[in-house]
Amino acid sequence: MMITGNTTLVAHLGYPTMTFKSPRLYNSWFAAAGVDAVIVPMGARAEGYPEIFRAVFQLTNLRGALVTMPHKVTTLELVDELTSTARVAGATNVVLRREDGTLIGDQFDGAGFTNAISAKGFVARGKRALIVGSGGVGSAIAASLAQEGIRELVLYDAHRESSERLAARVADNFPAVKVELGDTSPEGCDLVVNATPLGTYPTDPLPVNVNALEPGCLVGDVSLKADMTPLLKAAQQRGCQIQVGTDMVFAMAPSVLDFLGFPSADASLLRSHYMAAEG
């Protein structure tokens, strides 16, 4: 793929960029489909991020942005409009600049996660789930699980206020879902989700008490640093089904492409082009 003066740009904003999978995923598809567009990773620390965001969107050939940790919540205040999904999730991970110049933010993490576990045969309706991390991605997954009919959500975040705010949003929009603030014990849960950065570095502590994982439950990790995080390795040893972070990325990609106005493809085709690009 040759970048030219006509190439459409999409920024990928977050930090650290070493965890980013989306540039390879989307760029391999753009090249295969003959789309003159490119995803550009841009390392943006939390300090000064609003100024960076506004400056990037001054570029005339920018279509939009993918937004990842730690900016998914901050970005809510930087756009002109939010979809209902983004409002319930309390975070946004994709921003589109429309023809009139206004910015609309949406959230696809949750749908990507639930689509991926559904493909593995997991039915959320009537189940009990623990979500560790109530930031942007954890909030989105909680909202999507509630939409899928989860019976009970147990929320934990090191910053209890984050879990309290998420619990209130879920209760307001999905009153049939039982929501409680818990801890890192997955006892009695059918689904366990690590929606924190823990697992990015080898010295990170495990995000949940793996000794309480029950065989047969599904354990998902959103970390993109490595597919098999320490949590997933431990879960597999306990007899649990697992879901790696890239599964969520592939499952949300078709919807992201549609939202940004690019030609789409199903998740399996996108994955095949990604793997080919990996060599």
Side-chain angles (χ1 to χ4, degrees), residues 107-263:
Q107 173 54 263
F108 296 97
D109 283 331
F113 187 89
T114 55
N115 288 344
I117 61 174
S118 294
K120 293 177 173 61
F122 185 89
V123 178
R125 182 168 298 277
K127 301 295 197 310
R128 185 173 191 260
L130 167 65
I131 301 177
V132 179
S134 298
V137 63
S139 296
I141 292 171
S144 290
L145 288 173
Q147 289 173 333
E148 293 292 321
I150 201 84
R151 171 179 56 86
E152 185 174 350
L153 284 174
V154 183
L155 307 177
Y156 172 78
D157 193 285
H159 303 284
R160 185 178 175 88
E161 299 81 5
S162 296
S163 291
E164 290 173 342
R165 289 193 294 269
L166 174 56
R169 292 197 302 274
V170 173
D172 287 344
N173 290 275
F174 303 97
V177 178
K178 180 181 178 182
V179 186
E180 65 178 76
L181 303 185
D183 53 28
T184 59
S185 174
E187 188 174 357
C189 291
D190 306 289
L191 173 67
V192 176
V193 184
N194 173 36
T196 76
L198 293 177
T200 301
Y201 301 101
T203 55
D204 288 344
L206 288 170
V208 304
N209 177 8
V210 295
N211 293 323
L213 286 171
E214 299 180 2
C217 81
L218 191 152
V219 179
D221 201 323
V222 306
S223 175
L224 299 178
K225 176 64 167 60
D227 276 351
M228 289 304 295
T229 61
L231 170 63
L232 295 183
K233 291 177 182 177
Q236 204 168 51
Q237 291 174 355
R238 296 280 298 179
C240 301
Q241 188 178 10
I242 63 170
Q243 175 161 294
V244 301
T246 50
D247 288 344
M248 180 180 72
V249 175
F250 288 120
M252 80 170 80
S255 298
V256 171
L257 288 168
D258 287 340
F259 181 71
L260 291 174
F262 292 119

Side-chain angles (χ1 to χ4, degrees), residues 17-79:
T17 60
M18 67 180 183
T19 65
F20 290 8
K21 302 293 185 183
S22 293
R24 186 182 296 276
L25 165 61
Y26 291 101
N27 290 337
S28 62
W29 169 240
F30 289 154
V35 177
D36 192 4
V38 63
I39 306 289
V40 182
M42 297 182 178
R45 291 186 173 92
E47 56 271 20
Y49 171 68
E51 290 76 18
I52 293 172
F53 180 92
R54 295 186 185 101
V56 166
F57 272 94
Q58 293 300 310
L59 297 173
T60 59
N61 56 343
L62 189 82
R63 174 77 58 86
L66 309 181
V67 180
T68 191
M69 293 179 181
H71 307 311
K72 295 181 182 183
V73 176
T74 304
T75 305
L76 289 172
E77 306 299 326
L78 303 176
V79 299

